[in-house]
Amino acid sequence: MMARYLAGRLAGVVLILFLVCLFTFLIFFTLSPDPAVLICGKTCTPERIDQIRMVLGLDKPFLTQFFGFLGGIFAGRDYGEGANLVHCAAPCLGYSFQTNQSVWDMVVERLPVSATVAVGAAVLWLFFGVLAGLLSAVKEGTWWDRTAMGLALGGSSIPNYVLALALQYVLVVQLQVLPFPQAVAFGDDPVVWFQSYLMPWIVLATGYACLYARLTRANVIDTLAENFMRTARAKGLSPVLTMRRHALRPALTPITTIFGMDFAALLGGALITETVFGLNGVGKMAADSIAKNDQPVIMAVTLLAAFFVVVGNVVVDLVYTTLDPRVRITAK
């Protein structure tokens, strides 16, 4: 039954997220510097450090802290005691050691920026990457095929930060056709919104589009050589109908897999791209938190990225049941 299959996958999602949370928490608990010392500063007294540990619950055993963190996600939690008691409402991911701001509020505030970057880039790399790979497969061995695959190989070799700096220099500084990117809401100014996100979209989409073009070409060429394709052509079906009905589905199945993982990972933040362009998304927040050893924020970003990846994996499996009937039969 499909319901049983989904229940099993959701149980796997819960288990994976639990293990990610456990190992991440264990790493911070055993290897990171004392957060109380970092918060208090170099001139802080031992008494003040002990007080900070008590307020944050850092003086408790590891398992108590860990399950307190998990409970805070679903039911909220309290920090401190007596007059220093602070309640963190669910979903509680703690408070930033640097800004004392709710980590959940920080994530919610910055997630739309990362989602905008991820969705826009995904549209570009899917359209241009799959289209270029499909045309190269159909025109295998021609000048188009050699040129497109050469550009794809070169494009996939360019680091994101190099391409980002080059685009900024050419389009912003020299030609002045685009403004420097800023996190503008679509409703405030759609034109500035589009202009601000265009360069981040291009930077992220370039490498992925090159990879998808090469993968699509290889898959379509392999599919065109299958026996069922020769049978379809022997029946007199037109080349367009043969390609659309019989070649694209099996050829695009691997593309679906990597797209689900790539897109889900980007929802957790495009660290380099957001940092270079100064966009206050989840990726830039993670980079700033790592530099400052802000453990609650790092924990939250890690869990967020893991959540999107494992959920994306489940969604990909469900899409498989539509693309490939053999997977649908197995799922049932």
Side-chain angles (χ1 to χ4, degrees):
M1 296 291 292
M2 183 61 71
R4 183 181 301 175
Y5 172 76
L6 286 176
R9 292 311 308 270
L10 291 177
V13 168
V14 173
L15 177 60
I16 291 174
L17 291 177
F18 175 81
L19 293 176
V20 169
C21 185
L22 176 62
F23 289 128
T24 307
F25 204 90
L26 181 61
I27 290 173
F28 287 137
F29 185 85
T30 57
L31 300 181
S32 297
D34 189 347
V37 176
L38 295 176
I39 295 172
C40 200
K42 296 181 180 180
T43 60
C44 194
T45 62
E47 292 77 13
R48 178 57 180 161
I49 294 176
D50 291 337
Q51 183 181 9
I52 294 175
R53 287 198 187 102
M54 182 193 68
V55 171
L56 297 178
L58 301 175
D59 56 336
K60 299 176 181 178
F62 168 76
L63 289 179
T64 302
Q65 293 187 44
F66 174 68
F67 286 108
F69 176 80
L70 285 183
I73 297 177
F74 300 101
R77 61 181 302 190
D78 294 328
Y79 288 92
E81 298 176 354
N84 296 322
L85 181 66
V86 176
H87 179 72
C88 179
C92 177
L93 296 174
Y95 292 93
S96 168
F97 290 162
Q98 300 296 324
T99 64
N100 202 32
Q101 184 181 359
S102 169
V103 175
W104 175 254
D105 292 340
M106 295 173 65
V107 170
V108 170
E109 179 182 353
R110 290 162 176 77
L111 187 57
V113 176
S114 294
T116 301
V117 172
V119 172
V123 171
L124 289 180
W125 88 58
L126 268 183
F127 179 79
F128 290 104
V130 173
L131 180 62
L134 181 61
L135 292 177
S136 293
V138 174
K139 300 177 179 295
E140 182 183 6
T142 64
W143 67 269
W144 165 268
D145 180 30
R146 292 191 292 269
T147 302
M149 290 303 101
L151 291 175
L153 181 61
S156 60
S157 305
I158 302 176
N160 279 359
Y161 62 89
V162 174
L163 182 59
L165 294 175
L167 285 179
Q168 288 186 70
Y169 178 74
V170 174
L171 299 179
V172 179
V173 178
Q174 293 295 321
L175 300 180
Q176 298 183 2
V177 295
L178 289 176
F180 192 82
Q182 51 186 316
V184 177
F186 178 80
D188 294 340
D189 193 329
V191 175
V192 176
W193 174 86
F194 178 79
Q195 292 175 337
S196 296
Y197 283 103
L198 183 58
M199 282 192 294
W201 288 341
I202 294 174
V203 169
L204 276 179
T206 297
Y208 286 113
C210 295
L211 173 63
Y212 281 49
R214 298 170 64 189
L215 184 59
T216 301
R217 176 185 181 274
N219 291 335
V220 172
I221 289 175
D222 289 342
T223 303
L224 291 176
E226 294 287 345
N227 291 330
F228 66 85
M229 290 299 299
R230 287 194 290 268
T231 302
R233 287 191 290 266
K235 289 181 178 180
L237 295 179
S238 66
V240 175
L241 191 60
T242 302
M243 180 68 67
R244 181 170 61 86
R245 283 189 178 180
H246 300 285
L248 283 182
R249 273 194 173 187
L252 293 181
T253 299
I255 300 295
T256 304
T257 302
I258 64 170
F259 173 74
M261 298 299 99
D262 291 338
F263 181 69
L266 279 183
L267 286 176
L271 191 149
I272 295 177
T273 302
E274 291 179 10
T275 301
V276 172
F277 288 110
L279 296 173
N280 288 321
V282 176
K284 187 174 184 299
M285 182 177 70
D288 295 340
S289 301
I290 292 171
K292 299 175 181 177
N293 197 33
D294 199 344
Q295 297 175 15
V297 179
I298 301 173
M299 276 282 298
V301 174
T302 303
L303 288 177
L304 182 70
F307 172 79
F308 283 131
V309 169
V310 295
V311 171
N313 197 5
V314 174
V315 173
V316 166
D317 288 346
L318 295 179
V319 173
Y320 262 21
T321 63
T322 301
L323 294 177
D324 193 338
R326 294 168 299 179
V327 178
R328 189 182 313 138
I329 293 173
T330 303
K332 292 181 180 179

